[in-house]
Amino acid sequence: MKSRWNDIEAESYKEAARATGHDEALGLRIYTSRIIGGDPDLVLHGGGNTSVKVTGEDGRALMHIKGSGWDLDTIEAPGLPAVRLPELLAARDGPRLSDPDMVTLLRANLLDASAPNPSVEALLHAFIPHEFVDHTHATAILALADQPDMRDAVERIYGGRVAFVPYVMPGFDLSIEAARIFQAYPNCEGLWLESHGLFTFADTARGSYELMIEFVTLAEEELASKGIKLTGPQQSDRGPDSVLQTHLIAVLSGEGTPFASGVSLDYRSTEAIRQHVRKSNVEEIALRGTVTPDHVIRIKPWPMFIDAGARDLEIEQALESYKERYRAYFNRHAAHSAEPKTMLDPYPRVVVVRGEGMFNIGTNVKAAKIGGDLCEQATRAINAAESYGRFTPIGEADLFAMEYWVLEQAKLKVTQAN
């Protein structure tokens, strides 16, 4: 992976910040956020988050953190709302907060009460003392993060520069655990979040960004050492079977479905996708879960499978089987939840056509395309993970907790509104 840092561009963002009365550091934060967001092998569609710590006009410590609903590649100053840093740091040594209480704390300390919700990982950013903090879901990192027992491998690959954080669901608990590990390894330059992604941090925008590029490159080199070439994003080079697509639309848009008022399909067939969907055990692999926890709110825990020649009856049968599996999944885990859960619709968001490609389903073109982009990246990560060892994402109970997490549901509603 190559650094996209450009001194002339960086200076222009500093000048723009000064011209609008903002700190130069915020200008650089916007710049590196955008070059991170502009690389789909680092983040996609609202994924990842960034922050910068500054001193306010009154001398108080502040942190600008990515706000929910913003994409890094197009982020502007309003998408990095400022929060009062000392009040956030106090939460580290206080009582455990529920995630809704954490959000209340974050909103109470916004300088602008009308600003978007700070990222759910804002406390983690706050607890890391460095000025700039970057978090991504890079494809190469996911291929390795979704492996079992990677602690020793992370130590070997990074020589102690990256500290390993066992999987903890995002939110308050992850922030506390990551802070504990950082305190145990205060000289580390990054945090490896098992089955989730990577954090880097430094006291300059360029330093944190280029650590991210370096550490992702080291992950790519680790894959390459096993003969695994991780290609960049691939464009679909084959269209769907038009008859199959027509039948799929007819079944999905029937009365009572979430798509009754409109359904959009985004079809992808690339070399990597075909490699994936032609695996003899592709369904077993898919049932293991998503490459990073956030994906579950977009594409459900697993796809539906149909054959290339499927028509109405076969599609209807596959759909009924999918819904039955989803209801069983919900009932299994809702029974053990601390609070009552209301089941989301049991319809798929991804349909795999065995041996050919995959349809991504949305209520509009944008939603379907987002699903397509996520699945395109995911299949490349899964192919690499399976070649390296075994694709092993978070377990089903953790995936359910993420899908039915009140904060993720709120994030999805904001995204859909936009």
Side-chain angles (χ1 to χ4, degrees), residues 30-336:
I30 294 170
Y31 173 55
T32 52
S33 297
R34 286 188 168 200
I35 56 177
I36 288 170
D39 189 335
D41 266 334
L42 285 176
V43 295
L44 281 171
H45 299 297
N49 39 68
T50 59
S51 68
V52 61
K53 300 174 181 74
V54 301
T55 301
E57 293 181 358
D58 59 358
R60 298 189 67 186
L62 304 174
M63 180 177 73
H64 290 273
I65 176 76
K66 178 192 164 192
S68 294
W70 283 82
D71 289 343
L72 289 179
D73 62 332
T74 56
I75 203 159
E76 298 174 356
L80 288 156
V83 289
R84 299 176 186 90
L85 187 56
E87 286 79 356
L88 271 55
L89 294 176
R92 182 174 50 199
D93 300 315
R96 182 186 182 279
L97 297 177
S98 69
D99 287 327
D101 285 343
M102 178 189 71
V103 172
T104 299
L105 171 69
L106 296 174
R107 286 215 62 83
N109 286 289
L110 282 166
L111 289 195
D112 178 358
S114 66
N117 280 345
S119 165
V120 296
E121 286 159 345
L123 288 183
L124 198 165
H125 284 255
F127 297 162
I128 294 171
H130 294 280
E131 186 172 343
F132 289 86
V133 181
D134 297 333
H135 171 46
T136 76
H137 304 144
T139 311
I141 298 296
L142 294 178
L144 296 175
D146 285 327
Q147 297 289 327
D149 305 318
M150 279 295 289
R151 184 188 297 272
D152 290 345
V154 168
E155 172 68 25
R156 172 178 55 80
I157 295 166
Y158 296 104
R161 298 171 66 194
V162 175
F164 183 89
V165 182
Y167 180 76
V168 179
M169 185 169 164
F172 183 79
D173 290 342
L174 174 59
S175 300
I176 294 296
E177 178 64 8
R180 184 189 68 79
I181 290 174
F182 178 85
Q183 288 175 335
Y185 300 93
N187 295 321
C188 71
E189 300 169 280
L191 294 175
W192 178 283
L193 274 55
E194 184 179 30
S195 303
H196 183 157
L198 179 69
F199 274 79
T200 58
F201 27 84
D203 289 327
T204 67
R206 183 172 187 172
S208 185
Y209 168 70
E210 293 198 332
L211 278 173
M212 181 64 69
I213 300 304
E214 179 186 358
F215 290 165
V216 172
T217 298
L218 287 171
E220 292 173 339
E221 290 173 353
E222 171 68 10
L223 293 170
S225 73
K226 308 293 185 183
I228 303 164
K229 180 175 174 54
L230 190 63
T231 64
Q234 298 177 349
Q235 296 298 312
S236 188
D237 56 12
R238 298 184 187 179
D241 177 294
S242 59
V243 177
L244 173 60
Q245 179 169 277
T246 299
H247 283 268
L248 187 59
I249 289 173
V251 171
L252 289 172
S253 59
E255 186 177 352
T257 77
F259 314 106
S261 60
V263 60
S264 293
L265 299 182
D266 180 288
Y267 182 77
R268 305 288 176 104
S269 183
T270 67
E271 183 179 344
I273 288 173
R274 290 189 292 273
Q275 177 187 343
H276 177 58
V277 301
R278 288 172 180 171
K279 295 184 178 83
S280 60
N281 64 335
V282 60
E283 189 163 356
E284 184 273 325
I285 293 171
L287 288 174
R288 296 177 200 166
T290 59
V291 295
T292 191
D294 288 359
H295 283 193
V296 71
I297 69 166
R298 298 279 196 181
I299 60 174
K300 294 285 192 179
W302 55 78
M304 185 176 94
F305 284 81
I306 59 176
D307 292 325
R311 297 299 181 254
D312 283 359
L313 180 59
E314 294 93 336
I315 296 171
E316 289 170 2
Q317 291 172 339
L319 182 58
E320 287 307 309
S321 294
Y322 184 96
K323 290 159 64 179
E324 182 178 349
R325 182 191 294 275
Y326 188 88
R327 291 187 184 105
Y329 152 82
F330 175 82
N331 291 331
R332 258 195 316 277
H333 299 293
H336 302 290

Side-chain angles (χ1 to χ4, degrees), residues 327-392:
R327 291 187 184 105
Y329 152 82
F330 175 82
N331 291 331
R332 258 195 316 277
H333 299 293
H336 302 290
S337 295
E339 68 283 331
K341 301 291 184 183
T342 301
M343 190 178 75
L344 303 172
D345 76 78
Y347 286 77
R349 295 301 186 271
V350 182
V351 175
V352 169
V353 183
R354 293 186 182 91
E356 297 295 333
M358 57 179 63
F359 288 97
N360 298 273
I361 309 163
T363 54
N364 54 56
V365 171
K366 180 182 177 181
K369 182 182 183 304
I370 287 173
D373 290 344
L374 296 179
C375 287
E376 190 280 327
Q377 181 203 33
T379 53
R380 289 184 292 114
I382 291 170
N383 288 344
E386 282 288 284
S387 296
Y388 184 87
R390 186 178 193 274
F391 171 59
T392 310

